[in-house]
Amino acid sequence: MTQSAFIVLGMHRSGTSALTRSLEAFGLEQANDLLEANEFNRQGYFEARPVVELNDELLERQARHWADPKPFDLPGTATVSDWAGQAAKVLRTLFALKRSPLVKDPRISRTLPVWTEAFATLGHTGKLVILCRNPLSVAASLYRRDGMGFAHALDLWFAYMMEAVRLSREHDRALVHYETLVADPQGALERLGSALGLAIDGKAGDAAGAIVSADQHHRSDADRLFDHPTAGDHIKRLYAVLSEDGLGDEAAIETLWQDWLDLWEHRGTDRSAGSDLHLSLPDHHASEARSSMARGDVAGAVAACRRALEGGEHLARIQLLAGQTFAGAGLVDEAELAWDAARRQST
């Protein structure tokens, strides 16, 4: 018998972590090997490390990055199937013996076909929960965490939400707004359950409501968005469609998608070209490694260093950081190799 796998989609800093944790009230089961909590998500991210790493690798192979807002189309069916094969191996390990898997990583909003195909090979039908948060709130959160400019963050919100909505059309899905979830957690979860054929346990539902209520980050009202000078017309139109018509107005979504493609052409940007951010990925991963080590996440620091080395093996500064990180993790052989490479590149 085919079982269901549940996938949470939505933009980074949208409250997807709180939503994912609250969905446990339906008896859904989290993966093993979740990312650790930190100062930006004190309750935890509820993202499986191997899922995040595979998504990052997929994007990097396409010369992209999680923070690249350009329209992103996965390559042909054969390539999707190749990645889905790798994803299925990851899921089989993460969800061994679990009947109702629940997976979350905002990047899946852009790589969804890989994960739905992977679950299908394991006998699971994908059911999707899309979380929409006011883009001004998302932009404010990204500015505080990453120093990201508002215009960049708003375009990124549009890209994630647009691709999540378009890629999910052939699947069972439900949309929930972060603001509604915070204002009425129990009611929002009950409506989600009804849409996805899930029954909520009363006591678990109360606990889930407490989780969401505790997650109240900076919030912005819709009126501020529609008057905001930095928010482009495409941002306002998509948020209005998702607020007024939910997932029902496919014609409006397709019009917005075509306008989004035209916008990038008018900006003089080659959408098929790699992201400029791809050039700085080694340093980005090096920064992740330093942050992980600072908070005591040695495994995360090692993984980030290995990703940094994939594109920065010729950089002495990356090799030096890798040597220090590997030594701190007790990986003596890898540390020696990194230090030797750093010495060669410094001479």
Side-chain angles (χ1 to χ4, degrees):
M1 181 177 68
T2 301
Q3 297 174 321
S4 295
F6 296 83
I7 304 174
V8 174
L9 307 176
M11 176 55 190
H12 298 266
R13 312 307 294 165
S14 287
T16 53
S17 298
L19 172 60
T20 301
R21 187 179 176 197
S22 69
L23 289 174
E24 292 179 336
F26 295 107
L28 306 185
E29 298 171 287
Q30 297 272 5
N32 306 313
D33 195 10
L34 296 178
L35 293 175
E36 295 81 2
N38 62 22
E39 61 185 294
F40 299 107
N41 264 35
R42 298 189 184 280
Q43 299 287 330
Y45 284 87
F46 303 96
E47 297 171 12
R49 190 187 309 279
V51 171
V52 173
E53 290 175 352
L54 187 61
N55 276 322
D56 276 339
E57 182 182 355
L58 190 162
L59 291 171
E60 287 179 32
R61 292 290 181 87
Q62 304 304 317
R64 292 303 183 91
H65 184 275
W66 73 265
D68 184 350
K70 285 189 298 187
F72 178 65
D73 293 318
L74 282 168
T77 302
T79 303
V80 169
S81 295
D82 287 343
W83 283 102
Q86 296 182 54
K89 294 177 182 177
V90 167
L91 295 173
R92 189 178 291 111
T93 300
L94 290 174
F95 293 101
L97 304 179
K98 296 186 178 181
R99 297 177 58 84
S100 299
L102 171 63
V103 66
K104 170 252 178 179
D105 174 13
R107 298 162 185 78
I108 298 178
S109 301
R110 314 193 78 178
T111 63
L112 182 63
V114 166
W115 297 96
T116 52
E117 183 171 325
F119 270 123
T121 65
L122 301 178
H124 288 80
T125 299
K127 291 194 174 185
L128 315 178
V129 182
I130 304 173
L131 182 62
C132 178
R133 185 182 182 190
N134 188 309
L136 287 186
S137 298
V138 171
S141 184
L142 284 168
Y143 174 77
R144 288 196 304 274
R145 190 188 73 173
D146 300 325
M148 186 180 292
F150 257 56
H152 182 173
L154 292 172
D155 270 352
L156 198 60
W157 175 90
F158 185 95
Y160 272 73
M161 295 308 300
M162 173 59 69
E163 289 168 22
V165 170
R166 292 187 77 251
L167 293 172
S168 65
R169 285 179 296 187
E170 297 180 0
H171 303 277
D172 288 342
R173 60 183 183 171
L175 173 74
V176 61
H177 284 265
Y178 174 81
E179 293 75 14
T180 302
L181 191 64
V182 169
D184 180 18
Q186 184 77 22
L189 290 172
E190 287 176 354
R191 288 188 291 275
L192 273 179
S194 177
L196 297 173
L198 294 168
I200 192 169
D201 175 84
K203 292 182 180 179
D206 292 339
I211 291 167
V212 174
S213 297
D215 186 65
Q216 298 186 43
H217 299 299
H218 172 90
R219 285 185 284 166
S220 300
D221 57 59
D223 290 340
R224 282 192 61 229
L225 172 66
F226 295 117
D227 293 335
H228 201 281
T230 306
D233 182 60
H234 59 294
I235 308 288
K236 299 171 184 177
R237 286 164 59 201
L238 178 58
Y239 188 69
V241 168
L242 296 178
S243 298
E244 295 168 9
D245 299 303
L247 297 169
D249 196 340
E250 291 195 11
I253 294 296
E254 279 306 301
T255 298
L256 275 167
W257 174 249
Q258 292 303 318
D259 289 348
W260 178 237
L261 301 182
D262 292 342
L263 177 65
W264 282 96
E265 289 184 7
H266 292 152
R267 288 176 176 176
T269 302
D270 181 1
R271 292 193 300 108
S272 64
S275 169
D276 293 339
L277 289 165
H278 180 63
L279 302 176
S280 62
L281 278 175
D283 286 319
H284 169 77
H285 291 312
S287 177
E288 285 185 331
R290 293 187 191 96
S291 297
S292 295
M293 190 60 81
R295 63 176 183 265
D297 177 12
V298 176
V302 167
C305 274
R306 287 173 175 157
R307 290 198 297 273
L309 287 171
E310 288 176 4
E313 67 280 352
H314 60 293
L315 301 173
R317 65 179 182 276
I318 300 296
Q319 294 286 3
L320 282 171
L321 175 67
Q324 295 164 358
T325 303
F326 295 153
L331 303 172
V332 178
D333 290 342
E334 286 188 74
E336 290 292 344
L337 288 172
W339 281 326
D340 285 345
R343 282 192 289 269
R344 290 195 302 273
Q345 288 151 6
S346 299
T347 58

